[in-house]
Amino acid sequence: MIYLEELSNSSVTSYEITAIINTALCVGAGGSSSSLADKPIIRNSDGNILIPASQLKGRLRHECEKITRGLHWAICDSPNPQTMCPQRADLSGNFERTEYQIPNYPGYHCLICQLFGNPVLPSRILCDDLICTEDPENLSEVLRPGVTINRRRRTAEEQKLYFLETSPANAHLQFKGHIHLLNTPDYAGALLLSGLRHIHALGGSKSVGLGWLDWDWTSLKLPIKQAGWDFLAKGDEQ
């Protein structure tokens, strides 16, 4: 287990993050003998519903990639290691910029890799699981039926009925956790805030209205600096 306070040569700052789920949430945990659902919802050892840190961080990285590309920064292609920095196989763009150089690390690393890491560079961002604050004893099991669709014939498959477990609908459950930043550059807070504002749903079956959310911005105190916004605006400069 990693303890943040034991990380050497790192200045770690933690910021609370709260997601308010406006619809039913479906974050599947695979097969389980404790539920009648084919895809039960994921829980921690205490029975609390959670949103995995890996899902939050992966979605946040994806949104930050879109934003920085829109600002005309050259960004590598994750998650394939061969197309990520510093290899960037078959990728075009101006990656040989002074802003992409990191002391003590060879090669060039795009803005996203400098925050989220790559096969060479360690991540400067750590995320907690987002844990539901409601007592699990107060949340009844909710099963939603579904059926597999044959995309070619556009009809339902025979004998393909399944059940999803979700959180209660319209309960406005709060999920809390922390984002930990380790010696991040000035633009980190501005970029992460922008990325979070682009995340409107998490979990599975988002296209049918599951997992839609709002963020509690009053509890999120990311370090936003004007120098960070000014830096991000320099994407067009060569």
Side-chain angles (χ1 to χ4, degrees), residues 105-121:
Y105 287 93
Y108 295 87
H109 305 269
C110 68
L111 299 188
I112 300 300
C113 286
Q114 290 182 37
L115 290 181
F116 292 91
N118 58 35
V120 173
L121 199 65

Side-chain angles (χ1 to χ4, degrees), residues 199-210:
I199 300 177
H200 304 291
L202 289 170
S205 301
K206 294 184 288 294
S207 61
V208 296
L210 299 185

Side-chain angles (χ1 to χ4, degrees), residues 43-83:
R43 301 174 184 269
N44 63 12
S45 59
D46 295 324
N48 301 100
I49 301 173
L50 63 85
I51 299 173
S54 57
Q55 182 175 137
L56 172 62
K57 186 177 179 181
R59 183 66 186 279
L60 184 57
R61 177 171 186 147
H62 177 69
E63 296 300 334
C64 289
E65 286 177 352
K66 293 194 297 185
I67 293 170
T68 47
R69 285 196 182 98
L71 294 172
H72 305 291
W73 291 91
I75 302 299
C76 67
D77 288 344
S78 61
N80 186 347
Q82 293 181 343
T83 57

Side-chain angles (χ1 to χ4, degrees), residues 22 67 77 99 113 115 121 126 128 150 168 193 214 224 231:
N22 297 320
I67 293 170
D77 288 344
E99 296 94 339
C113 286
L115 290 181
L121 199 65
L126 299 176
D128 291 343
N150 187 306
L193 178 64
D214 289 318
I224 310 299
F231 178 87

Side-chain angles (χ1 to χ4, degrees), residues 152-165:
R152 180 176 61 83
R153 293 185 297 167
R154 299 181 181 179
T155 59
E157 294 277 14
E158 295 184 3
Q159 300 181 357
K160 292 294 184 179
L161 177 69
Y162 61 86
F163 291 92
L164 301 176
E165 183 185 6

